[in-house]
Amino acid sequence: MASLEELKRLPDLPPVPHATYLLDYLFDVGPTMASTTGASGVSYAELLAWQDAMGLELAPWELQFLRRLSIEYLA
């Protein structure tokens, strides 16, 4: 599980003024996933499986951003 300091650290993101498609992706994959302790952020494994099923190849920063969005959604 990520520490609070790790969660506060934002990934290095390129300037993307129109990245609203990532919100669509987040809600397509599901903004959260079930875990033994309740809801949790979407894992990288889940994101990779989803992108493979959709025939997409996301950049590493996009995957980091989707995971961060998922964690923020829970908060």
Side-chain angles (χ1 to χ4, degrees), residues 4 9 22 32 38 50 57 70 74:
L4 184 57
R9 186 178 63 79
L22 290 172
T32 63
W50 172 82
E57 189 172 332
S70 176
L74 281 171

Side-chain angles (χ1 to χ4, degrees), residues 32-53:
T32 63
M33 57 186 285
S35 73
T36 57
T37 58
S40 67
V42 177
S43 69
Y44 284 114
E46 190 72 22
L47 289 168
L48 292 173
W50 172 82
Q51 91 170 342
D52 187 49

Side-chain angles (χ1 to χ4, degrees), residues 9-28:
R9 186 178 63 79
L10 291 174
D12 293 328
L13 302 175
V16 183
H18 303 289
T20 57
Y21 67 95
L22 290 172
L23 290 175
D24 293 334
Y25 286 176
L26 177 67
F27 285 97
D28 191 37

Side-chain angles (χ1 to χ4, degrees), residues 47-69:
L47 289 168
L48 292 173
W50 172 82
Q51 91 170 342
D52 187 49
M54 296 295 113
L56 299 170
E57 189 172 332
L58 300 179
W61 74 264
E62 290 172 307
L63 292 169
Q64 285 179 310
F65 195 73
L66 285 172
R67 177 143 167 73
R68 178 65 186 260
L69 285 174

